[in-house]
Amino acid sequence: MQLRWGIVGTGRICQDFCLALLTCDPQEHSIVAVGSRSKSQAEDFGREFQLDPKVQIYGSQDEVFQDANVDIVYIGTVEQVHRDLCIKALNHRKHVLCEKPLAMNTSEIEEIIAAAKKTKSFIMEGIWSRFFPIYNYLRDAVQRIGKVTFVECTFSVRNLNSVGIWSTLMAIGCYPIQAALIAFNHEEPESIRAVGHTKEHENQLSDRMVSITLLYKDNRMAVLTCLGEDIESVSSLKIYGTEGVVSIPSHFWSPTQIILPSGQIIEDPLPETMKKTNFEHSAGLRYEAMACREQILNENTEHPLMTLENSLQIGRIIEECRRQILESHK
């Protein structure tokens, strides 16, 4: 079965997702519609990526949802409208892959979950990390290092806040958090502690540099750092167990290499895209698209590696971290 995609949005992440989809087997994935708030932008998108002339070009997002030929939509717009677009798509009986964050807060995520349960369509938040082949090795290694006791993870994106990103936590916080949750099998932490620096953005405080500590029973913890300023740092992940350590030395959110507890280094390179992507390793977006197709073929409404409850848990942690940081700077 060919999964027919509608792309909702034409910004940088949608461009990268399109490039990633074009690396997939065309018998399994095709782009059949592109929608933007401006038809001219959607037309430019189609030309830039040499899409088939048969691809429908729309000057609105709603028209993509109404297109009977679209099986699944990829929502890559600004996060403030993710909730509304997800619910619209679900109500049109479309499957949904929504770029992270799924919504602005946990209340909005719960609204999406309610709509998904009602329509029984597949929906997943695009935490793409979990579908990289390297993460299969990571999950397996976590099961072989005894009791996980400590996780350390740093995610640094230089000058993230100089391009209009209003919250470092909302932009990249999900990545170290989801990694820690894998290590601790999605156990709820006993406490969440967050500190950080803020700046004013459009008359509101915005978190910029953040340190998160997740405390678990039996003397276990995760220390996670998110940096959105001009700081040179390696974005890495280490998971310590009583019987070994597994690490992703760089690009832990989109990895092509892992160091197993034995010391063996496993590498899994990404395919070439037709042109350079906007963000690093974006060819790896192909893996979440392939994961969606697998579950839809099996008539599942969620992916077991990234469920809606997983999204809700990540959302709760981000929400609590932002609350602590912003309240401490009032």
Side-chain angles (χ1 to χ4, degrees):
M1 169 196 146
Q2 186 186 66
L3 192 62
R4 299 172 298 179
W5 290 85
I7 309 297
V8 178
T10 54
R12 292 186 299 168
I13 191 60
C14 288
Q15 294 165 17
D16 283 4
F17 186 76
C18 176
L19 288 170
L21 268 184
L22 294 174
T23 70
C24 295
D25 184 342
Q27 299 300 312
E28 297 182 352
H29 297 270
S30 67
I31 298 171
V32 298
V34 177
S36 177
R37 289 174 297 178
S38 161
K39 189 170 184 178
S40 63
Q41 287 180 338
E43 289 171 341
D44 290 344
F45 187 96
R47 283 191 293 269
E48 182 176 358
F49 299 105
Q50 302 172 24
L51 299 184
D52 191 305
K54 295 179 182 178
V55 172
Q56 293 296 312
I57 302 297
Y58 296 118
S60 75
Q61 297 149 345
D62 287 357
E63 289 176 286
V64 179
F65 304 144
Q66 294 162 5
D67 190 325
N69 289 319
V70 171
D71 299 315
I72 182 169
V73 295
Y74 172 76
I75 296 174
T77 59
V78 294
E79 56 263 40
Q80 288 87 343
V81 296
H82 283 185
R83 183 261 318 262
D84 292 346
L85 293 179
C86 283
I87 291 174
K88 280 185 179 180
L90 291 166
N91 286 340
H92 280 89
R93 296 302 194 271
K94 301 302 182 189
H95 303 301
V96 178
L97 172 61
C98 181
E99 185 55 48
K100 59 80 192 167
L102 185 59
M104 296 297 292
N105 53 54
T106 53
S107 294
E108 290 189 356
I109 295 173
E110 287 169 345
E111 290 181 54
I112 293 171
I113 291 174
K117 288 181 177 179
K118 181 179 178 181
T119 63
K120 298 181 180 178
S121 297
F122 175 86
I123 182 169
M124 186 176 79
E125 181 179 12
I127 306 291
W128 62 320
S129 309
R130 295 191 165 200
F131 303 99
F132 274 72
I134 290 297
Y135 265 65
N136 291 329
Y137 292 99
L138 179 70
R139 282 183 284 265
D140 179 66
V142 165
Q143 300 300 315
R144 294 187 290 106
I145 58 173
K147 177 182 176 182
V148 173
T149 56
F150 182 59
V151 175
E152 59 179 340
C153 185
T154 298
F155 195 179
S156 176
V157 180
R158 296 190 68 174
N159 299 316
L160 175 68
N161 304 127
S162 68
V163 293
I165 302 296
W166 58 275
S167 166
T168 297
L169 267 173
M170 291 295 287
I172 63 174
C174 62
Y175 293 118
I177 290 170
Q178 66 85 28
L181 292 176
I182 287 175
F184 290 114
N185 196 29
H186 280 274
E187 181 181 339
E188 286 289 336
E190 287 196 317
S191 73
I192 301 166
R193 300 176 186 176
V195 295
H197 290 293
T198 62
K199 286 184 180 179
E200 192 168 288
H201 176 75
E202 297 181 355
N203 298 319
Q204 290 186 335
L205 282 178
S206 173
D207 54 271
R208 299 304 202 188
M209 299 171 59
V210 178
S211 177
I212 303 166
T213 301
L214 304 179
L215 293 175
Y216 293 86
K217 61 183 180 181
D218 299 329
N219 298 317
R220 297 170 297 143
M221 66 188 295
V223 177
L224 317 173
T225 307
C226 299
L227 306 173
E229 298 290 343
D230 188 11
I231 299 172
E232 190 67 47
S233 178
V234 175
S235 296
S236 61
L237 167 68
K238 271 192 174 183
I239 301 175
Y240 298 80
T242 54
E243 298 175 20
V245 180
V246 58
S247 65
I248 299 177
S250 69
H251 295 87
F252 80 90
W253 76 101
S254 56
T256 57
Q257 183 186 90
I258 188 170
I259 303 175
L260 299 179
S262 65
Q264 181 185 5
I265 299 174
I266 300 290
E267 296 188 354
D268 192 281
L270 291 166
E272 292 290 327
T273 51
M274 64 177 282
K275 61 182 290 183
K276 183 176 172 60
T277 58
N278 295 299
F279 302 105
E280 292 183 286
H281 292 189
S282 278
L285 290 166
R286 71 196 303 267
Y287 300 124
E288 64 178 4
M290 295 159 63
C292 289
R293 179 178 180 272
E294 177 186 25
Q295 296 305 309
I296 290 168
L297 283 177
N298 290 326
E299 299 184 348
N300 294 326
T301 58
E302 297 183 54
H303 198 291
L305 297 182
M306 189 61 217
T307 66
L308 291 170
E309 180 54 42
N310 294 162
S311 292
L312 195 56
Q313 186 181 30
I314 293 168
R316 283 195 299 267
I317 293 172
I318 290 175
E319 201 168 64
E320 175 59 17
C321 290
R322 293 199 73 231
R323 184 194 67 77
Q324 290 182 24
I325 292 166
L326 297 182
E327 283 194 1
S328 70
H329 286 82
K330 284 182 179 178

